[in-house]
């Protein structure tokens, strides 16, 4: 769900927000004049999602490890 939100927000920076919503919902098609900016904005959205995934991987990898056999005391 977050990737969809990122794609809409980033793509609406390149084209009007209403057009972006219509394209994602499927009620409109992309005109040739808006195609290049829209595709570039989707590439930016993919890069933003990749950055978030990289941050998540780094924070998950850096956390303290507790062996699965060790019971957590309450």
């Amino acid at each position: 769900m977050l990737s969809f939100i990122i794609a809409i927000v980033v793509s609406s920076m390149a084209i009007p927000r209403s057009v972006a919503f219509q394209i994602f919902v499927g009620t409109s098609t992309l005109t040739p004049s808006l195609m290049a900016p829209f595709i570039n904005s989707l590439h930016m959205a993919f890069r933003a999602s990749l950055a978030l995934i990289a941050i998540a991987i780094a924070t998950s990898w850096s956390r303290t490890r507790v062996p699965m056999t060790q019971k957590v005391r309450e």
Side-chain angles (χ1 to χ4, degrees), residues 39-72:
I39 291 173
N40 288 336
S41 66
L42 284 181
H43 289 164
M44 288 175 47
F46 294 147
R47 288 185 201 108
S49 295
L50 181 63
L52 288 174
I53 289 170
I55 291 168
I57 289 170
T59 56
S60 177
W61 183 72
S62 68
R63 67 185 173 94
T64 305
R65 303 248 191 293
V66 176
M68 295 298 287
T69 58
Q70 183 180 2
K71 294 183 179 180
V72 178

Side-chain angles (χ1 to χ4, degrees), residues 1 5-6 10 12-13 15 18-20 23 25 28-29 40-42 44 47 54 63 71:
M1 187 65 161
I5 293 169
I6 291 172
V10 173
S12 66
M13 287 190 241
I15 61 175
S18 61
V19 175
I23 291 169
V25 172
S28 178
T29 58
N40 288 336
S41 66
L42 284 181
M44 288 175 47
R47 288 185 201 108
R63 67 185 173 94
K71 294 183 179 180

